[in-house]
Amino acid sequence: TLSAAPLNVGLKLEKLLFSQKRSVTLTSATLGVDGSMQYMGERLGLTGAEELLVGSPFDFQKSTLLLVSSDMPEPNDGGYPQALQDAIKRVARSSRGGVLGLFTSPDPSSACTT
């Protein structure tokens, strides 16, 4: 099953975490969008936070294969969720399970659920 949902957890994080601590450090390979922390900051309820975006030490050139399908329906097409699931299954089987699918989007309307 492939599921996705736009999340805005700012109020809950403020109440249960940020207001309880003097400082909080958030780190992830996917917090930045287009070189900015604005998108994630808005969803996490962060205002006036200090930001630092740093490059990755991971050698993408040597260890990563990017696959772009030329026969997928558009994301807003009703058949997209099933086509995406089928494509991911084919890649996972071909690589014997060596797959990491990373899905990020600043556009919540592009999320699909099945």
Side-chain angles (χ1 to χ4, degrees):
T1 300
L2 174 66
S3 300
L7 297 176
N8 187 329
V9 294
L11 293 176
K12 192 167 283 270
L13 282 175
E14 173 60 31
K15 178 181 177 184
L16 299 175
L17 178 63
F18 301 141
S19 67
Q20 306 297 314
K21 303 292 180 188
R22 285 185 48 206
S23 71
V24 175
T25 301
L26 305 174
T27 181
S28 170
T30 58
L31 288 177
V33 175
D34 288 334
S36 169
M37 298 291 289
Q38 180 181 350
Y39 175 78
M40 189 58 68
E42 289 171 357
R43 271 114 199 110
L44 297 178
L46 300 173
T47 56
E50 291 185 40
E51 305 173 359
L52 174 64
L53 290 172
V54 296
S56 172
F58 189 73
D59 190 345
F60 293 105
Q61 298 278 334
K62 290 183 180 177
S63 60
T64 304
L65 175 63
L66 174 65
L67 300 174
V68 179
S69 178
S70 62
D71 62 348
M72 291 289 290
E74 292 295 320
N76 58 356
D77 182 298
Y80 179 78
Q82 186 62 53
L84 181 59
Q85 287 181 46
D86 294 343
I88 293 169
K89 285 179 188 176
R90 285 193 307 272
V91 170
R93 286 186 186 117
S94 295
S95 67
R96 287 178 255 169
V99 174
L100 168 64
L102 178 60
F103 303 87
T104 59
S105 174
D107 178 8
S109 67
S110 70
C112 63
T113 60
T114 61

